[in-house]
Amino acid sequence: MEPHGFKKVIIGLIFSMTLLPSSSCSSAPCNFPAIFNFGDSNSDTGGLSAAFGQAPAPNGETYFHAPAGRYCDGRLLIDFIAESVGLPYLSAYLDSVGSNFSHGANFATAGSTIRRQNTTIFQSGASPISLDVQLVQFSEFHTRSKIISKQGVFHKLLPKEDYFSKALYTFDIGQNDLTAGYKLNLTTEQVKAYVPDVLLQLSEALKRVYDQGGRTFWLHNTGPVGCLPYVLDRFLTSATQLDKYGCGSPFNEVAQYFNQRLKGVVIQLRKQLPLAAITYVDVYSVKYTLISQAKKLGFELPLIACCGHGGKYNFNNSLRCGGKITVKGKEILIAKSCGNPSVRVNWDGIHFTEAANKWIFQQITSGSFSDPPLPLKMACHL
């Protein structure tokens, strides 16, 4: 072999070795003693319900058989994540009744955004519990947990101190930041213009958790918002702006732009936070596959809400899932469940059904849609 050919082989071997997982990646699965979640309604297990009133029936009908703080007929992705690592479902930080935080806490609330919104929840539906507020809550929870544990009061209901560094930190937020712009009648280009600022604030949030000891981050990108019935119903879309599956292309374009920039943020964070294991999870691709290939996957009517009332998409913003009207002094449930959520993708026009969430989780847990391509159970390894 000529010298220069031998050099190429050696360089190739060195390069290929750098792509192999580190020795830690081949070690035992991670043992996450706790999960701390930050997000919006896609992962809210009762935060908004505790603050502003319970999500009404028929929410919760499939799995919990009663309203359970979730805007879904059953379990969410965060519930399946908790199950998969052997932990109970997360109690909402805001829910003071019957909560056990020994295995973590959920700071997500429905309607949450990364950036604060200059409006009230009653005006726009945006939660006042934006990501910066969730971080304040986490910091307070962390500090008070240490104090109370030393006092020996309620210590069994709180995480042990070393759990905070060993925990899994999950983030699923950003969708509402995008739709907030459309609610203000901004153009797609105007929405895209503020995405960098939104992502800067998300980046700072991860750094703050890292500074408090967080080391394992599981970060979902944002889904195809242009395929959600409430977006298709609420924001005017011409026929030419719909893709072949009926989704609104401009809205999905913004989501993809957000995700592209988010991936760049993750790359920078890995340089800035050398001890952090940050997994970027492409839920957009998984959700879009489910919607576009619904029939092949055993689902039906992916753009039609299961629980709702009226309109092309069975969605009415003023009479959402569980909505009632009063007739002759008697309340009558109008926005009902479709009866068989197990074959439906969309639950209430905004959120996915338990069946859809379960399918989505089964795709992402293996690491096939992750960067790096590590399964959830190995996410703690650098």
Side-chain angles (χ1 to χ4, degrees):
M1 180 180 292
E2 295 180 2
H4 69 277
F6 179 76
K7 182 182 290 186
K8 286 183 179 179
V9 172
I10 294 298
I11 292 173
L13 285 171
I14 293 172
F15 177 74
S16 64
M17 288 174 67
T18 64
L19 298 180
L20 292 173
S22 66
S23 58
S24 63
C25 290
S26 59
S27 61
C30 309
N31 178 25
F32 297 118
I35 298 174
F36 296 101
N37 181 67
F38 304 84
D40 52 30
S41 58
N42 289 309
S43 60
D44 181 2
T45 55
L48 195 76
S49 290
F52 293 99
Q54 184 63 254
N59 286 294
E61 67 174 16
T62 296
Y63 185 79
F64 301 100
H65 308 298
R70 296 156 173 81
Y71 290 88
C72 179
D73 62 305
R75 291 166 289 183
L76 310 176
L77 280 176
I78 189 63
D79 294 314
F80 290 112
I81 289 173
E83 283 184 9
S84 72
V85 298
L87 294 176
Y89 302 137
L90 295 184
S91 294
Y93 171 77
L94 294 176
D95 193 354
S96 60
V97 180
S99 292
N100 185 335
F101 299 113
S102 62
H103 53 276
N106 192 351
F107 301 92
T109 64
S112 286
T113 53
I114 295 172
R115 293 200 309 178
R116 292 183 185 179
Q117 300 299 304
N118 188 26
T119 182
T120 71
I121 190 170
F122 306 105
Q123 293 170 316
S124 67
S127 170
I129 316 297
S130 49
L131 183 57
D132 60 329
V133 178
Q134 294 182 29
L135 290 169
V136 170
Q137 293 173 339
F138 168 70
S139 181
E140 184 72 3
F141 178 82
H142 190 180
T143 300
R144 295 186 67 193
S145 291
K146 289 188 287 187
I147 295 172
I148 293 174
S149 292
K150 290 178 181 179
Q151 294 174 343
V153 181
F154 302 120
H155 64 280
K156 291 184 178 180
L157 298 176
L158 296 169
K160 296 179 181 178
E161 173 56 23
D162 63 342
Y163 283 14
F164 287 91
S165 60
K166 297 176 180 178
L168 175 67
Y169 289 85
T170 51
F171 288 76
D172 191 340
I173 193 167
Q175 176 177 307
N176 294 324
D177 290 270
L178 303 183
T179 56
Y182 289 108
K183 290 178 181 178
L184 295 173
N185 296 317
L186 300 184
T187 66
T188 292
E189 290 306 312
Q190 287 173 321
V191 173
K192 289 169 72 172
Y194 66 67
V195 165
D197 181 56
V198 172
L199 291 176
L200 175 62
Q201 294 192 36
L202 177 59
S203 176
E204 291 302 313
L206 267 72
K207 290 177 183 177
R208 287 174 62 182
V209 173
Y210 181 86
D211 289 342
Q212 293 204 43
R215 291 296 178 264
T216 303
F217 299 86
W218 181 264
L219 181 62
H220 291 181
N221 67 12
T222 198
V225 293
C227 299
L228 298 177
Y230 100 98
V231 169
L232 292 168
D233 175 84
R234 185 165 182 180
F235 307 120
L236 291 176
T237 308
S238 66
T240 58
Q241 292 176 313
L242 298 178
D243 66 18
K244 62 181 179 179
Y245 301 109
C247 298
S249 296
F251 310 112
N252 283 348
E253 177 190 333
V254 168
Q256 290 173 309
Y257 176 76
F258 177 94
N259 293 339
Q260 179 186 13
R261 297 293 295 255
L262 175 60
K263 199 163 189 178
V265 166
V266 169
I267 292 172
Q268 291 302 313
L269 283 171
R270 287 178 181 144
K271 297 176 182 177
Q272 297 167 0
L273 312 177
L275 299 180
I278 307 173
T279 303
Y280 169 94
V281 188
D282 184 13
V283 296
Y284 180 100
S285 293
V286 178
K287 289 180 176 180
Y288 191 76
T289 296
L290 174 57
I291 291 165
S292 61
Q293 306 297 321
K295 190 172 182 180
K296 293 179 182 179
L297 297 169
F299 291 84
E300 59 186 41
L301 303 173
L303 302 184
I304 309 298
C306 168
C307 183
H309 177 72
K312 181 178 179 181
Y313 303 101
N314 195 37
F315 177 82
N316 183 335
N317 195 48
S318 60
L319 199 65
R320 295 186 180 183
C321 179
K324 300 176 181 178
I325 62 172
T326 302
V327 178
K328 295 181 180 180
K330 183 179 180 181
E331 282 192 328
I332 300 175
L333 177 64
I334 295 296
K336 302 178 182 179
S337 169
C338 59
N340 189 12
S342 66
V343 295
R344 301 292 287 273
V345 173
N346 192 281
W347 168 239
D348 58 2
I350 304 173
H351 311 100
F352 287 74
T353 61
E354 175 182 284
N357 286 329
K358 184 175 183 179
W359 186 88
I360 293 164
F361 172 75
Q362 289 169 341
Q363 311 315 305
I364 66 174
T365 188
S366 67
S368 300
F369 292 87
S370 298
D371 176 20
L374 293 176
L376 174 61
K377 64 182 180 180
M378 305 297 284
C380 65
H381 300 300
L382 290 172

